[in-house]
Amino acid sequence: MVQLQTYATYLQNRYNRPLDGPLTDFLTRRNGHLFLGDRIDLNVLAERYGTPLEVAYLPQITAQVHRMQAWADSACQASRYTGSFLYAYATKANFAAEVVQTALEAGAHYETSAAMDVEIAHRLWRAGVLPEERLILANGSKEEQYLRAIRRLRLAGCETIIPVLDDLDEFEALRTCPAPFTFGVRERAAGNRDGRHPGSDRFGLTAEEIDHVASALDGSHHTLAVYHAMIGSQVEDRAHFLDTLRASIDNYCALRHRVPSLRSFNFGGGIPTSGYALDFEFDYEDFLALLMGEIRAACTHHGVPEPDLVGEFGRYTVANHSVYLLEVGKVKAGQAIESDWYLVNGSLMVSIPDSVLVEDQEFLILPLAGWDRPARPVRLAGRRTCDSDDIYPRPSRAPLILPDTGVGTVLAVCGIGAYQQMISGRGGAHHCLSPEARRIVIAERNGHPIWSEVPQQRSAEIMRLLGYEPAPLGAPARRQPAWDPISTVLGDPPGALRRRRERTRLIRAG
């Protein structure tokens, strides 16, 4: 009789991962249980609270920030880099108050992408949660509301708000501000220099536009201090990352000759995270040392000082701090030679919308138990929608390998702390009215965990969002509607159509 490979053996052979011990830098397995942040027992939480369940462990955010800062310190020493390293949290990855405040407490600067984002920063700055010395880098294309929010924050006395110019109209709107601004410029050429990020080439200024800004600021009460170059997202090839930035570094150095106030090189986001694959490898310290070495060499060649180095970390900061726990409620046989379906008590396209929106996006999905059971190929599907796209992995990709435990299998879906809730929307009405799962949020104060619970979204709340008045179930109410839909469409006052019909009836009767 052929002995089937167990799930644990599969992981050992495929990923060289142990039965017990660290699986990633945020997941550990001990005594048959899976732990988030080496501290939160996901098996116990699933048993205690049931599924679907979101578990958010905020100390993981702090750990991410502090690790990167430590790697940067070591890289500075290794490369003999004289500039400072500034860690900025790109809040568009997750705007939740507890997430943003945790990143700020860990020492992060603040990067915005929209008007409401600046309004949040304004509130946090006034409350002292966002320290006065922290930079607020205002990125992205700026409509009038965004520009007004930036001006309000600067006129309120915040000197560290830095509008990173995306087009010349923004510059013309902000240069009239009586309070002096420190500006940044975003280099447009970096957006799709490698040809791998179509759509990103719409952001930023051309070389000629940057020259115009530099000339217009000369002698004004404003200054230009930041040069921003963003090449993409989740860039795992270090050599490619550096090759793509090299031209931007040279452009910074050339501009620094003309603009003595220029002091920071912002290499943007793109730093990858370990949240999406067990075989992820990226030497962050080595990458930063190589980047600092490149900048140092370029500055020496051009005869300019080494700039402060700014990184905007969104996905890296928050992707790994939370997971979804979903349970298989039914197993359905696949067609012909296709893999069977594990149907889960949730919606995948609602919980992890990137699985539908991003063609090559993968998520790390692990079972909480059953590692000693035979491994089998399966595909996941959501039971709370009737949509053919509510599946994972995509049809073009190989199926998942999971234990054959079937119904009752609880799965941890990782990497969901960045973008997924922001794209799906928190507190809204979702596809097929799928309610948001119960959330367990775990913070930490003085080494002690602080737990809070947000109950599952209620159906009455969803109905109100869609315009339905709450009413008791039972026989349908028989009453005159408050408005006449046909009259409303025609622009008549309520009841006008009914009176016209009555007059018509009387004329015909007469």
Side-chain angles (χ1 to χ4, degrees):
M1 183 176 179
V2 178
Q3 181 67 38
L4 296 178
Q5 178 180 228
T6 67
Y7 182 73
T9 304
Y10 161 75
L11 288 187
Q12 286 179 312
N13 294 338
R14 173 68 176 81
Y15 298 105
N16 192 29
R17 287 298 184 263
L19 288 176
D20 271 8
L23 299 172
T24 69
D25 56 5
F26 64 96
L27 283 178
T28 306
R29 191 168 185 265
R30 292 198 304 270
N31 301 321
H33 283 208
L34 201 60
F35 289 80
L36 177 60
D38 201 29
R39 188 172 183 182
I40 305 304
D41 191 326
L42 298 177
N43 295 65
V44 169
L45 291 184
E47 180 69 25
R48 180 182 301 168
Y49 295 102
T51 61
L53 180 70
E54 181 195 350
V55 182
Y57 183 53
L58 299 178
Q60 184 65 35
I61 296 173
T62 304
Q64 291 291 96
V65 177
H66 288 173
R67 279 183 210 154
M68 186 60 69
Q69 290 171 330
W71 287 323
D73 288 344
S74 296
C76 279
Q77 295 178 18
S79 62
R80 302 192 305 278
Y81 194 75
T82 58
S84 299
F85 174 79
L86 305 177
Y87 184 114
Y89 171 48
T91 55
K92 62 179 177 289
N94 194 321
F95 290 111
E98 69 273 10
V99 168
V100 173
Q101 291 179 31
T102 301
L104 291 174
E105 289 171 2
H109 297 263
Y110 199 107
E111 191 245 341
T112 77
S113 57
M116 185 63 71
D117 204 357
V118 177
E119 297 290 355
I120 292 172
H122 198 150
R123 292 188 183 193
L124 295 176
W125 175 75
R126 282 194 178 279
V129 176
L130 176 55
E132 290 187 357
E133 71 277 6
R134 300 284 175 84
L135 301 182
I136 304 171
L137 299 155
N139 252 313
S141 183
K142 302 170 189 65
E143 297 178 289
E144 182 58 33
Q145 186 180 4
Y146 194 177
L147 295 169
R148 286 199 303 268
I150 291 171
R151 286 178 66 107
R152 277 196 302 270
L153 181 53
R154 179 64 190 92
L155 292 172
C158 180
E159 298 180 357
T160 56
I161 175 74
I162 301 178
V164 180
L165 299 172
D166 204 71
D167 63 48
L168 291 182
D169 288 343
E170 298 171 6
F171 178 54
E172 295 304 321
L174 292 173
R175 67 187 295 192
T176 59
C177 182
F181 267 118
T182 299
F183 283 108
V185 289
R186 179 168 180 171
E187 180 193 84
R188 186 172 184 179
N192 195 30
R193 182 176 283 134
D194 57 5
R196 301 184 185 182
H197 300 90
S200 293
D201 57 354
R202 73 187 192 276
F203 296 113
L205 305 175
T206 65
E208 294 75 16
E209 290 170 332
I210 291 174
D211 285 342
H212 171 77
V213 170
S215 298
L217 288 178
D218 189 23
S220 75
H221 64 299
H222 305 297
T223 57
L224 178 59
V226 178
Y227 192 94
H228 178 35
M230 171 79 180
I231 74 163
S233 176
Q234 192 72 6
V235 184
E236 298 184 33
D237 185 335
R238 288 177 296 158
H240 171 72
F241 206 144
L242 293 169
D243 287 344
T244 310
L245 279 176
R246 194 168 285 119
S248 300
I249 295 168
D250 284 333
N251 292 339
Y252 165 85
C253 292
L255 185 61
R256 176 63 177 79
H257 271 296
R258 290 181 51 202
V259 184
S261 62
L262 197 62
R263 64 174 183 271
S264 299
F265 181 80
N266 183 344
F267 67 91
I271 289 291
T273 178
S274 60
Y276 305 115
L278 277 179
D279 56 356
F280 172 83
E281 290 185 5
F282 190 87
D283 191 329
Y284 298 99
E285 182 178 330
D286 184 60
F287 167 75
L288 289 173
L290 291 171
L291 176 58
M292 291 173 181
E294 289 278 353
I295 297 175
R296 189 168 183 268
C299 289
T300 300
H301 175 75
H302 288 274
V304 298
E306 294 166 25
D308 293 337
L309 187 60
V310 182
E312 296 171 355
F313 303 90
R315 194 185 304 267
Y316 166 86
T317 305
V318 297
N320 300 340
H321 87 282
S322 58
V323 300
Y324 282 127
L325 301 182
L326 302 174
E327 186 172 341
V328 178
K330 191 174 184 63
V331 179
K332 294 195 75 171
Q335 296 291 329
I337 61 172
E338 295 296 323
S339 303
D340 289 347
W341 292 97
Y342 273 11
L343 308 185
V344 298
N345 60 344
S347 167
L348 298 166
M349 65 190 302
V350 170
S351 298
I352 48 174
D354 271 353
S355 65
V356 177
L357 298 173
V358 183
E359 178 64 28
D360 59 350
Q361 180 64 58
E362 296 184 357
F363 288 89
L364 174 58
I365 300 177
L366 295 172
L368 297 194
W371 288 40
D372 58 342
R373 295 290 302 168
R376 64 180 299 196
V378 298
R379 292 188 184 274
L380 305 182
R383 298 189 81 185
R384 296 189 175 175
T385 72
C386 56
D387 200 304
S388 59
D389 283 326
D390 201 354
I391 61 175
Y392 184 84
R394 308 307 300 160
S396 60
R397 294 188 169 270
L400 291 178
I401 303 298
L402 291 173
D404 69 352
T405 41
V407 174
T409 303
V410 178
L411 303 173
V413 183
C414 306
I416 57 95
Y419 295 108
Q420 303 318 297
Q421 288 185 13
M422 299 301 102
I423 296 172
S424 179
R426 178 182 290 185
H430 302 288
H431 185 47
C432 284
L433 305 184
S434 180
E436 293 178 5
R438 175 183 292 183
R439 300 177 64 236
I440 303 298
V441 181
I442 307 155
E444 189 174 80
R445 287 290 181 273
N446 301 320
H448 299 290
I450 301 173
W451 295 65
S452 60
E453 177 184 351
V454 180
Q456 178 174 289
Q457 192 178 26
R458 296 181 178 180
S459 59
E461 176 188 355
I462 298 173
M463 291 178 72
R464 276 194 295 270
L465 288 170
L466 295 172
Y468 296 98
E469 290 296 327
L473 297 178
R478 299 189 180 277
R479 60 183 179 88
Q480 185 70 23
W483 56 278
D484 188 322
I486 300 178
S487 297
T488 302
V489 171
L490 294 175
D492 292 337
L497 181 62
R498 178 180 54 80
R499 290 191 292 273
R500 270 202 311 274
R501 286 172 174 166
E502 178 65 19
R503 286 196 300 271
T504 301
R505 186 185 64 79
L506 291 174
I507 291 171
R508 286 175 178 170

